[in-house]
Amino acid sequence: MAPRGLDKELSLFEIAVCENQGDLFEESQYDFNCDAFDFVTKFMNSEIAGSLDQDLSMCHTWGIKQIGETLISMVEIEKHSGEEYISRDCLHWVGYLYRYWAWWLGTSSRQIILDAPVALACAMYDGYHTLDMKAAILMFLRTAPHFY
């Protein structure tokens, strides 16, 4: 995926893909009974996420159930302990943020999870979730080891 400019605006299709990834992350510990941090990290490093990074992919047409089940069949993911749950709103925001980041700047999913690990993204949710997506991404990039 080629780097993009800061002035890029997402299309309605791209926004729908962001929503779908938000829904996927939200359901990781509920519908899929997985540890959310492990699920998200392995997803962002997966071939599926890499495919979603592309402008055209069959994975863009998949629902969250198909994506989640395919991921679980490809890699071993820790089960949810049944103790503490990450809020649905937080997980949705992280999924949406990561996909928006990939579409907006052309950053690979693998690089995004390095620059904003899921534990950090969840910790930053309270302070960043009211920001515009672009502003939230730029805040993460300021703390990343390098700028694009």
Side-chain angles (χ1 to χ4, degrees):
M1 181 182 264
R4 299 188 169 121
L6 295 177
D7 58 345
K8 179 187 178 356
E9 295 297 326
L10 270 60
S11 69
L12 292 176
F13 171 75
E14 291 167 328
I15 294 293
V17 175
C18 293
E19 281 291 340
N20 198 47
Q21 184 164 300
D23 292 344
L24 174 69
F25 286 15
E26 182 179 338
E27 295 304 328
S28 63
Q29 65 188 354
Y30 297 95
D31 282 354
F32 299 115
N33 194 33
C34 292
D35 176 86
F37 287 5
D38 195 43
F39 183 95
V40 171
T41 301
K42 288 182 176 163
F43 172 80
M44 293 298 287
N45 283 295
S46 73
E47 293 176 16
I48 299 168
S51 181
L52 290 173
D53 291 344
Q54 304 306 311
D55 291 332
L56 295 172
S57 168
M58 285 300 297
C59 293
H60 291 149
T61 64
W62 292 4
I64 62 171
K65 186 167 180 69
Q66 185 175 4
I67 293 172
E69 288 176 353
T70 302
L71 179 67
I72 290 167
S73 73
M74 294 170 64
V75 296
E76 188 173 321
I77 301 174
E78 294 175 31
K79 292 295 181 192
H80 185 263
S81 67
E83 294 174 16
E84 185 177 333
Y85 282 87
I86 310 300
S87 87
R88 287 179 177 269
D89 290 340
C90 176
L91 289 172
H92 185 91
W93 179 80
V94 171
Y96 192 103
L97 173 84
Y98 286 171
R99 185 53 40 207
Y100 196 104
W101 189 334
W103 283 117
W104 180 46
L105 294 178
T107 308
S108 73
S109 292
R110 286 190 169 133
Q111 186 62 52
I112 292 167
I113 198 70
L114 288 173
D115 290 340
V118 66
L120 174 62
C122 286
M124 302 311 272
Y125 170 75
D126 286 339
Y128 287 13
H129 81 279
T130 59
L131 297 175
D132 171 84
M133 277 292 137
K134 292 177 182 179
I137 293 163
L138 291 174
M139 293 295 286
F140 276 106
L141 289 174
R142 284 190 187 126
T143 62
H146 57 277
F147 190 83
Y148 297 89

